Amino acid sequence: MAGIKEIAKITGLSLATVSRVFNDSSLVSPKTKEKVLKAAKDLDYRPNIMAAALRSGKSKIIGVIVPEVNNYFFSGIINGIEKIVSDSGYNIIISQSHELQERENVALNSFLKLHVEGILMSISKETSDFSFIEKIGESKVPIVYFDRVPPLDGTSSVTLNDYMGGFMATKHLLDKNCKNLLHIAGNPRVSIFKERLKGFKDAILKSGRKGILSREIELTAHTKKDLKILKELFKSDPKIDGIFAYGDEIGLHVLNLLKDLDIDVPGKVKLIGFGNADFTKLTQPKISTIDQECSQMGELAAGLLIEKLKEVELKPQNKVLLPKLIKRDSTMIQ
Amino acid sequence: MAGIKEIAKITGLSLATVSRVFNDSSLVSPKTKEKVLKAAKDLDYRPNIMAAALRSGKSKIIGVIVPEVNNYFFSGIINGIEKIVSDSGYNIIISQSHELQERENVALNSFLKLHVEGILMSISKETSDFSFIEKIGESKVPIVYFDRVPPLDGTSSVTLNDYMGGFMATKHLLDKNCKNLLHIAGNPRVSIFKERLKGFKDAILKSGRKGILSREIELTAHTKKDLKILKELFKSDPKIDGIFAYGDEIGLHVLNLLKDLDIDVPGKVKLIGFGNADFTKLTQPKISTIDQECSQMGELAAGLLIEKLKEVELKPQNKVLLPKLIKRDSTMIQ
DNA sequence: GTGAAAGCGCTAACAA
DNA sequence: TTGTTAGCGCTTTCAC
């Protein structure tokens, strides 16, 4: 491995010229450039990013914070980010918050210490204190939020239209002739879950149909206790014939619960989830769901950030993606 | 945000003394130390890791390469690594190979450019050219492999005893009175899959039981074509009563296939997977499997690496973990 | 126990 | 188009 110095010595050029070849090579004659590039190859030149970062003030590192990496949605986003970032010269470093505000702060701090140039982040379910945003603001590190965004103005973000997702899922159940709907809702403090619930309610209202019953139950943790409550609900109310779960995982739990109770899906009850997790294709019946195009979300978020990195004075932008209904067996007409 | 300079100015101390407080604080009087620490807090001091890295030659970064991050096993390993690394002052940066040799090389190269101090890596299924190891060897960056290791001596690694895992899974089927066993095998070029197959064969041999039939079928891709072959096999050979799948995912496919064919699991056929993926608890029936204690594997690998980072002349070490049989409904006696 | 000063490898003015 | 030089923020010898 060699540095810029060795190349300068071998080629008889100055450090500056060699450096220029690897940066703004336009100011260098093609001949010189070629000579340098050849030497670089021969000597196995590897630029010292640390030195460059120190001098230029640019670390070429983008920090990404997701709640959990082992998750179809977030790993899809990461893949999208990788796709955009990889041929831009930036490196990405991923941290998980594990849905904990404290871990989120730790990650943020180590990003600032590492002098990342930009941050991509989806806030944890637990996060209620948004003062960290001020700190980031002071540090001038641009940040783009995706999917789960803070309830504040002036931020850049890429989100899904979760309201629309909830609306579509519910409309689908209504279209399949369900008359007694249940929404299993997530923590309403998380905006996306609140939006899904709103979509659920509106879809029923706007359907204009009479005689539709609906109710919601909030189920934030998927503990045994939670599931028991749900079980009791199913037992006590056998009229329920359409369920919209706020997430695929809880949807899977519901599916299993219904099987335990010998309630046929989709014969007796139709079920739709949210997220298009990979396992929804593998259950029996396959679970209908709402797709979030996670890769695209990652690509857009990364694109937004890189734009901002180039043009400091860029105004905050908010992109909203449209969800897609995925019809599968769990809502099929029998 | 402030640097070492501001602190020196405020406290009236020299840069050197301030620096010492944050490094080998033993050489500094408690009073001075306290003064510096207070100033650091007041000024929101954030060390510039780049500068420190440049000067000391130590980047405080550990690079991690996994095939895929959206995977119960690997994300568990990452959590284990995080646990150990977090309070050691190192930062981790994760790259995915997506099971591609080329991507693996790209990641490795950018790690070397970033001057990571150490590498933790599980090689991709596709990797057959191990010359990259030489390159890493030259760069003197220590590397510890986990789970999927290169077929070479002189490397440090943490692996699972996959042979034992295959043995235990198969023995479990035999204990449940299966007499006509099928092993769905993974790509034999990947050592862990070869070992599982060996365990399968040996368990049958060593059982000493007569009249046990066994066969294997290799199914590396989980394409529709693959599954069709499997389906034909089940149809043509209705005697099969015990299946050991080399992974949980293919196990789930098998489970669904059997349901499609109206073959009862575990009534008619018993099924066991490998990996203890999270969805194995959520299927119906729940799938028996082999647990790999992924978090522990990550912890051990990270521990090994950090030891090596401290003591350059450490000999290569190879730790082998024992798998654990997880009995669930898919192999239950009816 | 503390300070002065050199320099890690590179970039970016400025000069030629 | 190329070279000279200062210095990014920190660590680390060597001196006191």
Side-chain angles (χ1 to χ4, degrees):
Chain A
M1 192 190 65
I4 215 179
K5 225 178 190 169
E6 283 90 328
I7 295 185
K9 209 196 284 176
I10 293 284
T11 56
L13 293 159
S14 73
L15 291 175
T17 307
V18 176
S19 172
R20 273 193 278 260
V21 171
F22 300 115
N23 296 289
D24 41 5
S25 45
S26 59
L27 304 164
V28 161
S29 80
K31 249 189 199 166
T32 319
K33 192 173 165 181
E34 201 186 344
K35 203 159 54 171
V36 170
L37 258 21
K38 190 187 173 318
K41 205 166 191 179
D42 290 349
L43 299 176
D44 184 23
Y45 165 64
R46 243 173 275 152
N48 188 325
I49 298 189
M50 306 292 162
L54 178 58
R55 178 62 237 249
S56 65
K58 298 190 186 306
S59 65
K60 288 283 161 195
I61 297 178
I62 287 174
V64 180
I65 301 181
V66 290
E68 212 75 49
V69 106
N70 183 27
N71 174 302
Y72 174 75
F73 178 62
F74 291 118
S75 69
I77 287 186
I78 290 172
N79 292 342
I81 294 172
E82 276 182 347
K83 202 165 149 187
I84 296 299
V85 166
S86 65
D87 37 37
S88 72
Y90 287 95
N91 301 287
I92 70 173
I93 144 164
I94 302 160
S95 272
Q96 308 181 67
S97 67
H98 297 288
E99 304 284 8
L100 262 29
Q101 167 135 28
E102 195 211 324
R103 293 268 233 149
E104 203 166 70
N105 276 317
V106 169
L108 238 20
N109 276 323
S110 70
F111 281 178
L112 292 183
K113 272 198 262 184
L114 270 171
H115 291 241
V116 299
E117 285 190 58
I119 295 173
L120 292 167
M121 168 171 185
S122 196
I123 63 178
S124 92
K125 279 184 192 167
E126 199 208 48
T127 303
S128 55
D129 174 9
F130 294 96
S131 57
F132 66 85
I133 293 181
E134 262 177 65
K135 196 170 168 185
I136 298 172
E138 279 168 29
S139 73
K140 303 277 178 208
V141 178
I143 180 163
V144 175
Y145 300 91
F146 53 86
D147 195 49
R148 308 217 206 123
V149 304
L152 296 165
D153 291 334
T155 58
S156 279
S157 67
V158 182
T159 50
L160 182 80
N161 191 329
D162 283 276
Y163 168 80
M164 194 57 113
F167 194 100
M168 287 162 75
T170 310
K171 183 167 182 307
H172 179 57
L173 291 176
L174 291 169
D175 287 348
K176 293 294 176 187
N177 250 322
C178 297
K179 295 190 160 50
N180 205 323
L181 303 185
L182 170 69
H183 175 49
I184 299 169
N187 185 340
R189 251 205 3 240
V190 182
S191 62
I192 55 175
F193 300 144
K194 210 164 74 183
E195 289 296 308
R196 289 173 199 179
L197 170 60
K198 212 155 68 178
F200 171 74
K201 287 180 175 170
D202 271 19
I204 294 169
L205 275 177
K206 292 196 181 159
S207 76
R209 251 186 268 176
K210 303 280 176 189
I212 301 289
L213 290 176
S214 81
R215 58 158 89 182
E216 314 100 44
I217 178 171
E218 192 189 316
L219 232 67
T220 53
H222 304 168
T223 56
K224 279 196 178 151
K225 212 175 114 196
D226 266 14
L227 294 176
K228 202 161 183 183
I229 294 171
L230 209 53
K231 205 166 187 167
E232 293 308 316
L233 179 68
F234 290 148
K235 275 189 193 162
S236 69
D237 191 347
K239 287 199 302 295
I240 291 171
D241 60 359
I243 301 174
F244 164 38
Y246 79 94
D248 284 333
E249 208 193 320
I250 186 70
L252 176 53
H253 277 119
V254 170
L255 183 62
N256 285 333
L257 222 57
L258 292 171
K259 276 191 200 165
D260 282 350
L261 295 170
D262 257 325
I263 299 175
D264 185 47
V265 178
K268 173 86 180 62
V269 173
K270 310 233 182 314
L271 170 70
I272 185 164
F274 202 113
N276 198 14
D278 32 17
F279 61 77
T280 52
K281 286 193 262 316
L282 297 170
T283 52
Q284 290 212 325
K286 293 172 185 153
I287 303 174
S288 295
T289 188
I290 300 291
D291 183 64
Q292 319 184 65
E293 308 222 51
C294 41
S295 174
Q296 206 200 341
M297 190 177 276
E299 288 172 36
L300 285 174
L304 230 53
L305 183 63
I306 289 180
E307 258 183 72
K308 228 177 173 181
L309 253 27
K310 282 186 194 147
E311 227 177 300
V312 178
E313 287 307 325
L314 211 65
K315 290 242 159 54
Q317 271 185 277
N318 299 286
K319 299 201 177 177
V320 180
L321 294 175
L322 250 32
K324 230 167 62 189
L325 175 66
I326 309 284
K327 298 179 193 175
R328 296 214 185 89
D329 303 339
S330 71
T331 53
M332 235 179 42
I333 305 175
Q334 284 302 74
Chain B
M1 193 191 65
I4 215 179
K5 229 179 190 167
E6 283 90 328
I7 296 185
K9 211 196 282 178
I10 294 284
T11 56
L13 292 159
S14 72
L15 293 175
T17 307
V18 176
S19 171
R20 273 193 278 258
V21 171
F22 299 115
N23 296 287
D24 41 4
S25 45
S26 57
L27 303 164
V28 160
S29 81
K31 251 190 199 166
T32 319
K33 193 173 163 181
E34 203 186 341
K35 204 160 54 172
V36 169
L37 258 20
K38 190 186 173 317
K41 206 167 189 180
D42 290 349
L43 298 175
D44 185 23
Y45 165 65
R46 241 172 275 151
N48 188 324
I49 298 189
M50 306 292 162
L54 178 58
R55 178 60 235 249
S56 66
K58 298 192 186 306
S59 65
K60 288 283 162 194
I61 297 177
I62 287 174
V64 180
I65 301 180
V66 290
E68 212 75 50
V69 106
N70 183 26
N71 175 303
Y72 175 74
F73 178 61
F74 290 118
S75 69
I77 287 186
I78 289 172
N79 291 343
I81 294 172
E82 276 181 348
K83 202 164 149 187
I84 296 300
V85 166
S86 65
D87 36 37
S88 73
Y90 287 95
N91 302 82
I92 70 173
I93 144 165
I94 302 160
S95 273
Q96 307 182 68
S97 67
H98 296 288
E99 304 285 8
L100 261 30
Q101 168 135 27
E102 195 210 324
R103 294 267 234 148
E104 202 165 69
N105 275 318
V106 169
L108 238 20
N109 276 325
S110 69
F111 281 179
L112 292 183
K113 272 198 261 181
L114 271 170
H115 291 241
V116 297
E117 285 189 57
I119 295 171
L120 291 167
M121 167 173 186
S122 196
I123 61 178
S124 92
K125 279 185 193 167
E126 198 208 50
T127 303
S128 55
D129 174 10
F130 293 95
S131 58
F132 66 86
I133 293 182
E134 262 178 64
K135 196 171 168 186
I136 298 172
E138 280 168 26
S139 73
K140 303 277 177 208
V141 178
I143 181 163
V144 175
Y145 300 91
F146 54 86
D147 196 50
R148 310 219 206 120
V149 303
L152 296 164
D153 291 334
T155 57
S156 278
S157 67
V158 181
T159 51
L160 182 80
N161 191 330
D162 283 275
Y163 167 81
M164 193 58 111
F167 193 100
M168 286 162 75
T170 310
K171 183 167 182 305
H172 179 57
L173 291 176
L174 291 170
D175 287 348
K176 293 294 176 186
N177 250 322
C178 298
K179 294 190 160 54
N180 205 323
L181 302 186
L182 170 69
H183 176 48
I184 300 170
N187 185 337
R189 248 203 9 237
V190 182
S191 62
I192 56 174
F193 300 143
K194 211 163 75 184
E195 290 295 308
R196 290 174 198 180
L197 170 59
K198 212 155 70 177
F200 172 74
K201 287 181 175 169
D202 271 18
I204 294 169
L205 274 176
K206 292 195 182 161
S207 76
R209 252 187 269 173
K210 301 283 177 190
I212 302 290
L213 289 176
S214 82
R215 58 157 90 182
E216 314 100 44
I217 178 171
E218 192 188 316
L219 231 66
T220 53
H222 304 169
T223 57
K224 278 197 180 156
K225 213 175 115 197
D226 265 15
L227 294 177
K228 199 158 184 184
I229 293 171
L230 209 54
K231 204 165 187 167
E232 293 308 315
L233 179 67
F234 290 147
K235 275 189 193 161
S236 69
D237 190 348
K239 287 198 303 294
I240 291 171
D241 61 358
I243 300 174
F244 164 38
Y246 79 95
D248 283 332
E249 209 193 320
I250 184 72
L252 177 54
H253 278 118
V254 170
L255 182 62
N256 284 334
L257 222 56
L258 292 171
K259 277 191 200 166
D260 282 349
L261 296 169
D262 257 325
I263 299 174
D264 184 47
V265 178
K268 173 88 181 62
V269 173
K270 309 229 181 320
L271 170 69
I272 185 165
F274 202 112
N276 198 14
D278 32 16
F279 61 77
T280 52
K281 284 193 263 318
L282 297 170
T283 52
Q284 290 212 327
K286 293 173 185 153
I287 302 174
S288 295
T289 188
I290 299 291
D291 183 65
Q292 318 183 66
E293 308 222 49
C294 40
S295 174
Q296 205 200 340
M297 190 179 275
E299 289 171 35
L300 285 173
L304 230 53
L305 183 63
I306 289 179
E307 258 184 71
K308 229 179 174 178
L309 252 28
K310 282 186 194 148
E311 226 178 300
V312 178
E313 287 306 326
L314 211 65
K315 289 243 158 54
Q317 270 184 279
N318 299 286
K319 298 199 178 179
V320 180
L321 294 175
L322 250 33
K324 229 167 63 189
L325 175 65
I326 309 284
K327 298 179 193 174
R328 296 213 185 91
D329 303 339
S330 71
T331 53
M332 238 179 38
I333 305 174
Q334 283 305 72

